[in-house]
Amino acid sequence: MEDFLNNSIEITCTNSGADKEGTLVQNGKAKLILKGSEIEIKDFKVKVDSEYVAQNPNEKMYVITINNNTDSDFLIIRGNIYVGSNRILEVSPSVVTCDHIDNATFTLPHWVQLSKGSSLMLYIMIRTTEENFMPDIVLSATI
């Protein structure tokens, strides 16, 4: 018994604002609820691909560059894009898992993982008539 007491592990927990479903993360009007061992990805940049030539003048290509500067590999990457009255046409490479009127949630395929210290680019096609439109985006990663 003394050996058990001297070599036991103490586990303590706190509730840091998480509800039964998980912690809500938000960027503008884009929202995700973190699940299990997910973390919010904060190191990413979004820009319009000005060299992309669309057949429809209202289509724009956006490039998201995700940087993994953590000590863990990103095994699964999810995201939510808020576009308001605009329309998401495609997120590549990914599977759009939930397409709503003003936003879409997507998950990258299981074969797309992001090792620590590396970067990844996603491509988003959006139909918009707004000249300077920039979508709200929030990203998470399972580590």
Side-chain angles (χ1 to χ4, degrees), residues 66-136:
I66 303 170
N67 301 303
N68 182 353
N69 56 9
T70 69
D71 291 331
S72 303
D73 294 338
F74 293 170
L75 304 177
I76 300 171
I77 297 174
R78 290 190 315 129
N80 181 263
I81 303 171
Y82 180 85
V83 293
S85 61
N86 302 297
R87 178 88 175 120
I88 295 174
L89 302 174
E90 183 179 347
V91 180
S92 180
S94 79
V95 175
V96 174
T97 57
C98 195
D99 191 1
H100 301 288
I101 294 169
D102 58 2
N103 73 87
T105 301
F106 62 90
T107 303
L108 272 56
H110 68 280
W111 49 266
V112 178
Q113 298 182 357
L114 187 57
S115 302
K116 60 184 176 183
S118 60
S119 298
L120 171 72
M121 294 172 77
L122 299 177
Y123 301 90
I124 304 168
M125 291 292 299
I126 298 176
R127 183 176 298 138
T128 180
T129 56
E130 299 176 41
E131 183 66 31
N132 296 315
F133 175 72
M134 192 60 68
D136 291 340

Side-chain angles (χ1 to χ4, degrees), residues 9-62:
I9 299 172
E10 182 177 338
I11 299 174
T12 60
C13 299
T14 62
N15 184 348
S16 60
D19 60 19
K20 294 178 185 176
E21 297 179 13
T23 302
L24 175 70
V25 292
Q26 189 169 346
N27 181 18
K29 293 186 178 181
K31 300 175 186 178
L32 274 179
I33 294 179
L34 299 181
K35 302 175 185 176
S37 61
E38 282 185 323
I39 61 169
E40 180 180 7
I41 299 173
K42 295 183 179 182
D43 190 359
F44 68 92
K45 300 204 181 320
V46 182
K47 70 175 188 169
V48 177
D49 184 348
S50 58
E51 296 179 15
Y52 177 75
V53 179
Q55 292 180 3
N56 182 331
N58 293 335
E59 289 180 11
K60 290 185 181 179
M61 171 83 72
Y62 295 81

